[in-house]
Amino acid sequence: MPKLSVNVDHIATIREARKCREPDPVAAAVLAELAGANGITVHLREDRRHIQERDVKILRQTISTKLNLEMAPTPEMVQFAIDSLPDMVTLVPESREELTTEGGLNVAAKVNELEKVTSSLKIHHIYVSCFIDPEIEQIKAAKKAGASCVEFHTGSYCNAFDYGEDDMAWQMELDKIEKMAQMAVKSGLEVNAGHGLNYQNVHYIAAIPEIQELSIGHSIISRASLLGMNQSVKDMLGILEKTTSQASTVI
Ligand code: PXP
């Protein structure tokens, strides 16, 4: 069964709407862990629209699972990661205009630059992943740049699935993710996945045996706003468990 890292950015989004103290993403992270999450993810964006530096620092001292910091590969962020020492950094592209991370990082376009970033992080024992589109050239580039892991952007699959496109459309996206996951593992990379995954579309992705971890934010936090964090994390873990036990029965 893939591990579940819960992204708590949107708890901070609510807090920042009032620029006050509540709700605290640190409290949300602790509740997610108590419900069984295997890790916590936060994205410290350049414009600090949700997660703040203070959140990452307190999370580092508070959570007992795995802290994954999503960040742009900039000198400022690299220094922040070295100072705060998350267990893992996921390098993501960033544009101020976007509502959320819209595509994968174009690693192939800047392998040398990213190689410097990954080595600076790895010296400090930070595990490095690159958030990429599921494409061969990006996988090869991530390996060349020294990443240990890739996180596949699942947005195209999720959009095709959620907006009721015909089966062919989302099946094609799913097949691509599956094939590329096999390629990535063959080239010595670990594979994670995320973006747009929800309670309806996650099971096909969870059934891909090469995928080790899912990073899920929006759908879990949305459900948590109505049903609570404990219930929402448990519901997601229940789907992951059921999917993988069914997959192994078929084999
Ligand atoms: N993975 C990465 C790299 C992301 O940038 C995001 C969004 O912050 C996610 C996963 C989670 O996406 P969602 O909020 O749609 O579950």
Side-chain angles (χ1 to χ4, degrees):
M1 160 174 166
K3 293 193 168 137
L4 174 64
S5 186
V6 176
N7 179 319
V8 295
D9 289 353
H10 289 321
I11 297 293
T13 302
I14 301 174
R15 177 190 62 194
E16 295 305 311
R18 284 285 174 95
K19 299 272 176 219
C20 58
R21 285 188 171 200
E22 60 181 11
D24 193 327
V26 177
V30 171
L31 290 173
E33 272 194 336
L34 289 173
N38 309 103
I40 300 297
T41 294
V42 286
H43 184 174
L44 184 65
R45 293 187 75 104
E46 210 184 8
D47 62 9
R48 307 293 195 268
R49 68 173 71 157
H50 38 55
I51 292 296
Q52 308 295 312
E53 292 175 33
R54 162 266 183 210
D55 300 328
V56 183
K57 288 179 188 156
I58 300 179
L59 281 168
R60 176 62 298 173
Q61 295 165 13
T62 313
I63 64 159
S64 50
T65 55
K66 189 175 99 177
L67 179 60
N68 173 30
L69 174 65
E70 291 176 3
M71 57 175 231
T74 62
E76 182 213 357
M77 285 298 164
V78 170
Q79 191 53 54
F80 178 75
I82 291 170
D83 293 343
S84 52
L85 294 178
D87 299 289
M88 167 168 163
V89 156
T90 301
L91 299 171
V92 299
E94 203 170 295
S95 138
R96 280 186 185 236
E97 292 75 40
E98 67 191 3
L99 286 178
T100 180
T101 317
E102 278 166 4
L105 184 65
N106 189 352
V107 184
K110 40 187 164 190
V111 175
N112 293 341
E113 198 184 307
L114 289 171
E115 206 273 329
K116 290 188 189 114
V117 171
T118 60
S119 11
S120 309
L121 296 169
K122 280 163 46 179
I123 289 173
H124 294 273
H125 308 287
I126 300 170
Y127 187 79
V128 183
S129 176
C130 291
F131 183 55
I132 58 170
D133 292 326
E135 286 164 7
I136 288 183
E137 57 164 346
Q138 298 298 342
I139 294 169
K140 285 185 180 159
K143 181 74 187 163
K144 251 189 176 170
S148 305
C149 179
V150 285
E151 178 183 334
F152 285 156
H153 193 309
T154 48
S156 301
Y157 156 76
C158 295
N159 286 343
F161 190 97
D162 293 352
Y163 298 126
E165 289 181 27
D166 57 42
D167 289 359
M168 280 288 285
W170 63 260
Q171 281 283 356
M172 269 170 57
E173 296 295 341
L174 186 66
D175 289 351
K176 186 158 101 180
I177 293 170
E178 197 162 7
K179 276 200 194 90
M180 291 302 113
Q182 289 162 1
M183 283 282 307
V185 167
K186 264 193 198 142
S187 59
L189 291 161
E190 289 199 0
V191 184
N192 297 339
H195 211 285
L197 295 172
N198 60 33
Y199 296 82
Q200 288 74 41
N201 65 29
V202 75
H203 53 292
Y204 289 114
I205 297 289
I208 299 174
E210 286 78 11
I211 295 182
Q212 305 233 331
E213 185 172 292
L214 302 175
S215 169
I216 308 182
H218 188 85
S219 61
I220 292 179
I221 302 305
S222 302
R223 182 173 290 219
S225 73
L226 301 174
L227 298 182
M229 184 64 90
N230 184 51
Q231 181 73 48
S232 308
V233 172
K234 286 196 167 126
D235 288 351
M236 183 57 79
L237 288 169
I239 296 172
L240 302 186
E241 200 169 339
K242 199 165 150 208
T243 304
T244 39
S245 63
Q246 276 169 355
S248 54
T249 311
V250 173
I251 290 161

